[in-house]
Amino acid sequence: MNIALLGFGVVGSGVYEWCRDREDLHVRRVLVRSEKPQIADIATHDFEDILHDDSIDIVVEVMGGLHPAYEYVTAALKAGKHVVTANKALIAAYYQELTELAKAQGKALLCTAAVGGGIPWLVNLERVKRLDSVQSFCGIMNGTTNFILDAMHTDGSDFSEVLAEAQKLGYAEADPSADIDGLDIQRKAVISANVAFDACLSEADVPVFGIRSILSCDIAAAESRSRICKMLAFGEKSASGAVSCYVEPCFVPSGELEAAVSTNRNVISFVTELTGKESFYGQGAGRYPTAYNAVADCADIIGGVKEFYTSLVRDVPVDNNAASHPYYVRFSGSDEFLSSIEAEKCGEGVVTMPVPVAKMHAWAAKAKEADPGVFIAGLI
């Protein structure tokens, strides 16, 4: 099959290199913003060159961002081309529209690389759902935050020092907000929940608290309880059919799998009704891991895959009060609500009684107005 690449950055160049020696996938055109001498013969600045080329079967979108990626992907599907994308922001924002458009056109829309980088997470969610029911998922879905938290535990470094090192190594962007504020994970959680539970959640349905305000004293508080701080995404379906989905730092018992995941690696697990917990570990980002899953999606299309990971897109009730657990909270000043739920002191913070997730996140969002340095972490 002939493919066209939209973008020739880190991931796009990886896809190109991966396909170069393959006989079943040929990169025919590459949409670029600037001159790329190494692909001058197939490069174009005009998307119309790709859209109206009937020999192109698959459009691989690896340019990122919402626009013009949205316009390009929808146009490609309407033109009868399959689409593979690594763009988590695009899929999370336009989930229902894009999946329904692909279904109506009878074309594949695959985004395995958008959640987990090189981890075959979404394809295994789809596979297990053929025989079993997914009850919940949980995981480390962002390598940057895991790198930062791991270094703070192992080296005793301050947050700002480790963030600067992550940026130097290329793990974090110049503007790291999407990572450290949890927005990158939030989008991955939205996609995971929608596939796992046949739902149609949006980013607004998924409360998130990041690690921007974490201090060394919070790491010490976790260690004092034989726990490791990790940034996790959660999704769970209740017996009533309601879904809870949220993202937050957590103090994880040191013996748990997630606590052992080091540097910039990811691990994501699901729990099913019959088979229990299964986990998927590996590189969550990077040129070749992410390119691998994009190329694997193309290979699946060659093999006959023409559907998204789930054929159902339903409005389901979202209830983040259904999930409840204790929290570690560090807050400067007095607060009536915090005092009412305090169970014990813990370093420079407190540990609360079990609190519904939605209630705790709502309090934390408001508490930032009084104390921008407030920090919360779930105890699981």
Side-chain angles (χ1 to χ4, degrees):
M1 280 190 173
N2 288 327
I3 70 175
L5 288 174
L6 307 186
F8 198 71
V10 172
V11 179
S13 60
V15 172
Y16 174 77
E17 291 178 28
W18 212 299
C19 292
R20 194 163 44 191
D21 298 324
R22 294 184 65 92
E23 295 182 358
D24 57 347
L25 287 170
H26 173 66
V27 180
R28 182 173 175 83
R29 299 291 273 177
V30 182
L31 183 68
V32 297
R33 293 177 179 174
S34 57
E35 299 302 322
K36 306 290 182 182
Q38 67 271 42
I39 57 165
D41 57 328
I42 58 173
T44 179
H45 299 290
D46 189 351
F47 176 67
E48 297 293 319
D49 291 341
I50 293 170
L51 188 65
H52 298 299
D53 187 338
D54 293 337
S55 71
I56 293 172
D57 306 290
I58 306 172
V59 170
V60 180
E61 186 274 306
V62 284
M63 61 195 303
L66 289 181
H67 304 286
Y70 165 76
E71 288 77 14
Y72 291 166
V73 165
T74 52
L77 288 170
K78 289 176 181 177
K81 302 182 188 300
H82 303 292
V83 170
V84 169
T85 178
N87 193 333
K88 66 193 77 71
L90 175 69
I91 298 297
Y94 295 101
Y95 183 87
Q96 184 170 5
E97 179 181 344
L98 292 178
T99 55
E100 290 182 350
L101 175 59
K103 185 176 182 179
Q105 295 295 119
K107 295 299 174 181
L109 170 66
L110 299 178
C111 57
T112 309
V115 185
I119 299 173
W121 167 243
L122 293 180
V123 292
N124 277 285
L125 266 183
E126 182 275 332
R127 188 170 184 265
V128 76
K129 285 177 60 188
R130 300 176 199 170
L131 301 175
D132 207 346
S133 173
V134 177
Q135 297 176 318
S136 65
F137 68 83
C138 170
I140 297 169
M141 295 185 178
N142 181 274
T144 301
T145 52
N146 199 62
F147 176 85
I148 292 171
L149 294 172
D150 181 59
M152 292 183 74
H153 274 286
T154 57
D155 302 335
S157 304
D158 288 332
F159 172 80
S160 58
E161 296 173 344
V162 187
L163 175 58
E165 179 66 14
Q167 290 171 318
K168 181 180 178 181
L169 293 171
Y171 297 152
E173 301 289 341
D175 178 2
S177 300
D179 293 320
I180 64 176
D181 291 331
L183 304 180
D184 174 83
I185 312 172
Q186 182 189 46
R187 293 159 185 156
K188 295 171 181 176
V190 166
I191 299 168
S192 297
N194 287 345
V195 172
F197 309 129
D198 300 323
C200 191
L201 274 64
S202 68
E203 292 167 64
D205 294 318
V206 181
V208 56
F209 194 95
I211 63 168
R212 182 183 290 271
S213 59
I214 194 169
L215 300 175
S216 296
C217 63
D218 304 319
I219 298 294
E223 293 177 348
S224 73
R225 306 179 76 87
S226 299
R227 293 170 183 257
I228 304 295
C229 187
K230 294 293 182 181
M231 188 71 174
L232 299 178
F234 297 88
E236 185 171 6
K237 181 176 64 176
S238 68
S240 67
V243 169
S244 64
C245 187
Y246 55 96
V247 176
E248 64 186 20
C250 290
F251 288 179
V252 181
S254 57
E256 293 295 321
L257 172 63
E258 291 80 8
V261 178
S262 62
T263 62
N264 64 328
R265 293 179 176 86
N266 288 189
V267 66
I268 318 175
S269 307
F270 56 63
V271 176
T272 65
E273 183 177 355
L274 300 176
T275 59
K277 184 175 180 179
E278 295 184 35
S279 302
F280 303 86
Y281 168 86
Q283 290 288 345
R287 170 176 288 161
Y288 295 116
T290 308
Y292 158 77
N293 262 333
V295 176
D297 281 349
C298 293
D300 283 345
I301 291 170
I302 292 173
V305 173
K306 291 185 178 180
E307 295 182 347
F308 193 65
Y309 311 93
T310 174
S311 60
L312 295 176
V313 180
R314 304 175 299 174
D315 288 326
V316 300
V318 179
D319 184 8
N320 284 306
N321 278 315
S324 181
H325 50 250
Y327 280 87
Y328 163 83
V329 182
R330 176 178 46 77
F331 177 73
S332 177
S334 59
D335 181 86
E336 183 177 350
F337 171 73
L338 186 58
S339 297
S340 71
I341 59 174
E342 179 181 329
E344 59 181 291
K345 302 292 184 183
C346 183
E348 297 186 22
V350 300
V351 170
T352 73
M353 298 179 287
V355 184
V357 167
K359 195 170 187 178
M360 192 72 240
H361 278 254
W363 175 86
K366 187 175 181 180
K368 284 182 181 179
E369 299 174 7
D371 177 14
V374 64
F375 180 74
I376 68 170
L379 271 66
I380 61 171

